[in-house]
PDB file of all heavy atoms in Angstrom:
ATOM      1  N   SER A 322       4.998  18.967 -30.052  1.00  0.00           N
ATOM      2  CA  SER A 322       3.765  18.299 -29.652  1.00  0.00           C
ATOM      3  C   SER A 322       3.770  16.853 -30.159  1.00  0.00           C
ATOM      4  O   SER A 322       4.247  16.575 -31.252  1.00  0.00           O
ATOM      5  CB  SER A 322       2.573  19.040 -30.247  1.00  0.00           C
ATOM      6  OG  SER A 322       1.422  18.287 -30.003  1.00  0.00           O
ATOM      7  N   ASP A 323       3.232  15.950 -29.313  1.00  0.00           N
ATOM      8  CA  ASP A 323       3.175  14.554 -29.758  1.00  0.00           C
ATOM      9  C   ASP A 323       1.971  14.344 -30.688  1.00  0.00           C
ATOM     10  O   ASP A 323       1.682  13.230 -31.107  1.00  0.00           O
ATOM     11  CB  ASP A 323       3.105  13.611 -28.553  1.00  0.00           C
ATOM     12  CG  ASP A 323       1.945  13.961 -27.621  1.00  0.00           C
ATOM     13  OD1 ASP A 323       1.083  14.758 -28.027  1.00  0.00           O
ATOM     14  OD2 ASP A 323       1.929  13.444 -26.486  1.00  0.00           O
ATOM     15  N   GLY A 324       1.248  15.426 -30.986  1.00  0.00           N
ATOM     16  CA  GLY A 324       0.140  15.351 -31.928  1.00  0.00           C
ATOM     17  C   GLY A 324      -1.146  14.864 -31.280  1.00  0.00           C
ATOM     18  O   GLY A 324      -2.201  14.924 -31.885  1.00  0.00           O
ATOM     19  N   LEU A 325      -1.082  14.392 -30.054  1.00  0.00           N
ATOM     20  CA  LEU A 325      -2.280  13.876 -29.393  1.00  0.00           C
ATOM     21  C   LEU A 325      -3.051  15.026 -28.776  1.00  0.00           C
ATOM     22  O   LEU A 325      -2.505  15.805 -28.007  1.00  0.00           O
ATOM     23  CB  LEU A 325      -1.877  12.923 -28.265  1.00  0.00           C
ATOM     24  CG  LEU A 325      -1.447  11.531 -28.682  1.00  0.00           C
ATOM     25  CD1 LEU A 325      -1.027  10.736 -27.465  1.00  0.00           C
ATOM     26  CD2 LEU A 325      -2.628  10.846 -29.373  1.00  0.00           C
ATOM     27  N   VAL A 326      -4.311  15.140 -29.150  1.00  0.00           N
ATOM     28  CA  VAL A 326      -5.131  16.201 -28.580  1.00  0.00           C
ATOM     29  C   VAL A 326      -6.100  15.541 -27.607  1.00  0.00           C
ATOM     30  O   VAL A 326      -6.769  14.570 -27.955  1.00  0.00           O
ATOM     31  CB  VAL A 326      -5.898  16.948 -29.696  1.00  0.00           C
ATOM     32  CG1 VAL A 326      -6.769  18.037 -29.111  1.00  0.00           C
ATOM     33  CG2 VAL A 326      -4.911  17.532 -30.695  1.00  0.00           C
ATOM     34  N   LEU A 327      -6.149  16.039 -26.387  1.00  0.00           N
ATOM     35  CA  LEU A 327      -7.039  15.415 -25.399  1.00  0.00           C
ATOM     36  C   LEU A 327      -8.476  15.921 -25.560  1.00  0.00           C
ATOM     37  O   LEU A 327      -8.693  17.017 -26.058  1.00  0.00           O
ATOM     38  CB  LEU A 327      -6.540  15.710 -23.985  1.00  0.00           C
ATOM     39  CG  LEU A 327      -5.151  15.188 -23.597  1.00  0.00           C
ATOM     40  CD1 LEU A 327      -4.931  15.358 -22.109  1.00  0.00           C
ATOM     41  CD2 LEU A 327      -4.989  13.723 -23.964  1.00  0.00           C
ATOM     42  N   GLY A 328      -9.410  15.127 -25.100  1.00  0.00           N
ATOM     43  CA  GLY A 328     -10.820  15.527 -25.161  1.00  0.00           C
ATOM     44  C   GLY A 328     -11.580  14.926 -23.993  1.00  0.00           C
ATOM     45  O   GLY A 328     -10.964  14.375 -23.070  1.00  0.00           O
ATOM     46  N   LYS A 329     -12.927  15.006 -24.039  1.00  0.00           N
ATOM     47  CA  LYS A 329     -13.720  14.630 -22.853  1.00  0.00           C
ATOM     48  C   LYS A 329     -13.604  13.140 -22.491  1.00  0.00           C
ATOM     49  O   LYS A 329     -13.888  12.754 -21.359  1.00  0.00           O
ATOM     50  CB  LYS A 329     -15.178  15.057 -22.996  1.00  0.00           C
ATOM     51  CG  LYS A 329     -15.986  14.242 -23.969  1.00  0.00           C
ATOM     52  CD  LYS A 329     -17.248  14.954 -24.355  1.00  0.00           C
ATOM     53  CE  LYS A 329     -18.349  14.884 -23.314  1.00  0.00           C
ATOM     54  NZ  LYS A 329     -19.453  15.748 -23.776  1.00  0.00           N
ATOM     55  N   HIS A 330     -13.153  12.293 -23.429  1.00  0.00           N
ATOM     56  CA  HIS A 330     -13.046  10.877 -23.091  1.00  0.00           C
ATOM     57  C   HIS A 330     -11.664  10.515 -22.541  1.00  0.00           C
ATOM     58  O   HIS A 330     -11.428   9.369 -22.170  1.00  0.00           O
ATOM     59  CB  HIS A 330     -13.395  10.013 -24.305  1.00  0.00           C
ATOM     60  CG  HIS A 330     -14.792  10.275 -24.791  1.00  0.00           C
ATOM     61  ND1 HIS A 330     -15.886  10.004 -24.004  1.00  0.00           N
ATOM     62  CD2 HIS A 330     -15.263  10.830 -25.926  1.00  0.00           C
ATOM     63  CE1 HIS A 330     -16.978  10.383 -24.649  1.00  0.00           C
ATOM     64  NE2 HIS A 330     -16.622  10.891 -25.813  1.00  0.00           N
ATOM     65  N   SER A 331     -10.773  11.481 -22.511  1.00  0.00           N
ATOM     66  CA  SER A 331      -9.419  11.176 -22.016  1.00  0.00           C
ATOM     67  C   SER A 331      -9.458  10.981 -20.502  1.00  0.00           C
ATOM     68  O   SER A 331     -10.097  11.757 -19.774  1.00  0.00           O
ATOM     69  CB  SER A 331      -8.458  12.312 -22.329  1.00  0.00           C
ATOM     70  OG  SER A 331      -8.556  12.670 -23.682  1.00  0.00           O
ATOM     71  N   GLY A 332      -8.772   9.970 -20.051  1.00  0.00           N
ATOM     72  CA  GLY A 332      -8.768   9.664 -18.619  1.00  0.00           C
ATOM     73  C   GLY A 332      -7.570  10.280 -17.925  1.00  0.00           C
ATOM     74  O   GLY A 332      -6.737  10.955 -18.542  1.00  0.00           O
ATOM     75  N   ARG A 333      -7.505   9.985 -16.597  1.00  0.00           N
ATOM     76  CA  ARG A 333      -6.454  10.552 -15.758  1.00  0.00           C
ATOM     77  C   ARG A 333      -5.046  10.134 -16.232  1.00  0.00           C
ATOM     78  O   ARG A 333      -4.118  10.949 -16.235  1.00  0.00           O
ATOM     79  CB  ARG A 333      -6.690  10.051 -14.327  1.00  0.00           C
ATOM     80  CG  ARG A 333      -5.994  10.798 -13.249  1.00  0.00           C
ATOM     81  CD  ARG A 333      -6.427  10.218 -11.930  1.00  0.00           C
ATOM     82  NE  ARG A 333      -7.700  10.790 -11.514  1.00  0.00           N
ATOM     83  CZ  ARG A 333      -7.792  11.860 -10.731  1.00  0.00           C
ATOM     84  NH1 ARG A 333      -6.707  12.448 -10.294  1.00  0.00           N
ATOM     85  NH2 ARG A 333      -8.949  12.336 -10.380  1.00  0.00           N
ATOM     86  N   ALA A 334      -4.914   8.871 -16.689  1.00  0.00           N
ATOM     87  CA  ALA A 334      -3.580   8.399 -17.086  1.00  0.00           C
ATOM     88  C   ALA A 334      -3.101   9.142 -18.327  1.00  0.00           C
ATOM     89  O   ALA A 334      -1.957   9.597 -18.396  1.00  0.00           O
ATOM     90  CB  ALA A 334      -3.628   6.896 -17.352  1.00  0.00           C
ATOM     91  N   ALA A 335      -4.020   9.305 -19.316  1.00  0.00           N
ATOM     92  CA  ALA A 335      -3.649  10.023 -20.544  1.00  0.00           C
ATOM     93  C   ALA A 335      -3.300  11.469 -20.199  1.00  0.00           C
ATOM     94  O   ALA A 335      -2.365  12.051 -20.757  1.00  0.00           O
ATOM     95  CB  ALA A 335      -4.802   9.984 -21.525  1.00  0.00           C
ATOM     96  N   PHE A 336      -4.069  12.018 -19.247  1.00  0.00           N
ATOM     97  CA  PHE A 336      -3.836  13.403 -18.839  1.00  0.00           C
ATOM     98  C   PHE A 336      -2.433  13.537 -18.230  1.00  0.00           C
ATOM     99  O   PHE A 336      -1.664  14.428 -18.571  1.00  0.00           O
ATOM    100  CB  PHE A 336      -4.920  13.799 -17.820  1.00  0.00           C
ATOM    101  CG  PHE A 336      -4.807  15.207 -17.307  1.00  0.00           C
ATOM    102  CD1 PHE A 336      -5.076  16.284 -18.146  1.00  0.00           C
ATOM    103  CD2 PHE A 336      -4.446  15.461 -15.991  1.00  0.00           C
ATOM    104  CE1 PHE A 336      -4.985  17.594 -17.679  1.00  0.00           C
ATOM    105  CE2 PHE A 336      -4.349  16.759 -15.516  1.00  0.00           C
ATOM    106  CZ  PHE A 336      -4.629  17.825 -16.364  1.00  0.00           C
ATOM    107  N   ARG A 337      -2.096  12.593 -17.322  1.00  0.00           N
ATOM    108  CA  ARG A 337      -0.784  12.645 -16.666  1.00  0.00           C
ATOM    109  C   ARG A 337       0.342  12.470 -17.695  1.00  0.00           C
ATOM    110  O   ARG A 337       1.335  13.199 -17.682  1.00  0.00           O
ATOM    111  CB  ARG A 337      -0.689  11.580 -15.569  1.00  0.00           C
ATOM    112  CG  ARG A 337       0.475  11.877 -14.649  1.00  0.00           C
ATOM    113  CD  ARG A 337       0.825  10.816 -13.626  1.00  0.00           C
ATOM    114  NE  ARG A 337      -0.266  10.395 -12.760  1.00  0.00           N
ATOM    115  CZ  ARG A 337      -0.887   9.225 -12.853  1.00  0.00           C
ATOM    116  NH1 ARG A 337      -0.557   8.361 -13.797  1.00  0.00           N
ATOM    117  NH2 ARG A 337      -1.849   8.908 -12.025  1.00  0.00           N
ATOM    118  N   ASP A 338       0.141  11.526 -18.636  1.00  0.00           N
ATOM    119  CA  ASP A 338       1.162  11.302 -19.678  1.00  0.00           C
ATOM    120  C   ASP A 338       1.372  12.545 -20.526  1.00  0.00           C
ATOM    121  O   ASP A 338       2.488  12.904 -20.874  1.00  0.00           O
ATOM    122  CB  ASP A 338       0.737  10.168 -20.617  1.00  0.00           C
ATOM    123  CG  ASP A 338       0.896   8.829 -19.927  1.00  0.00           C
ATOM    124  OD1 ASP A 338       1.428   8.802 -18.801  1.00  0.00           O
ATOM    125  OD2 ASP A 338       0.460   7.819 -20.522  1.00  0.00           O
ATOM    126  N   LYS A 339       0.252  13.162 -20.851  1.00  0.00           N
ATOM    127  CA  LYS A 339       0.345  14.363 -21.696  1.00  0.00           C
ATOM    128  C   LYS A 339       1.114  15.460 -20.954  1.00  0.00           C
ATOM    129  O   LYS A 339       1.995  16.119 -21.523  1.00  0.00           O
ATOM    130  CB  LYS A 339      -1.074  14.849 -22.024  1.00  0.00           C
ATOM    131  CG  LYS A 339      -1.112  16.035 -22.911  1.00  0.00           C
ATOM    132  CD  LYS A 339      -0.703  15.619 -24.303  1.00  0.00           C
ATOM    133  CE  LYS A 339      -0.758  16.750 -25.270  1.00  0.00           C
ATOM    134  NZ  LYS A 339      -0.353  16.371 -26.599  1.00  0.00           N
ATOM    135  N   LEU A 340       0.786  15.638 -19.655  1.00  0.00           N
ATOM    136  CA  LEU A 340       1.499  16.668 -18.880  1.00  0.00           C
ATOM    137  C   LEU A 340       2.987  16.355 -18.841  1.00  0.00           C
ATOM    138  O   LEU A 340       3.830  17.238 -19.000  1.00  0.00           O
ATOM    139  CB  LEU A 340       0.953  16.758 -17.448  1.00  0.00           C
ATOM    140  CG  LEU A 340      -0.441  17.365 -17.295  1.00  0.00           C
ATOM    141  CD1 LEU A 340      -0.792  17.490 -15.817  1.00  0.00           C
ATOM    142  CD2 LEU A 340      -0.532  18.741 -17.949  1.00  0.00           C
ATOM    143  N   ALA A 341       3.319  15.079 -18.662  1.00  0.00           N
ATOM    144  CA  ALA A 341       4.735  14.696 -18.603  1.00  0.00           C
ATOM    145  C   ALA A 341       5.414  15.033 -19.931  1.00  0.00           C
ATOM    146  O   ALA A 341       6.529  15.553 -19.956  1.00  0.00           O
ATOM    147  CB  ALA A 341       4.861  13.207 -18.296  1.00  0.00           C
TER     148      ALA A 341
END
Side-chain angles (χ1 to χ4, degrees):
S322 172
D323 55 12
L325 283 178
V326 179
L327 298 190
K329 73 197 282 174
H330 300 297
S331 310
R333 197 176 277 267
F336 180 70
R337 196 188 305 107
D338 286 354
K339 182 72 178 179
L340 289 185

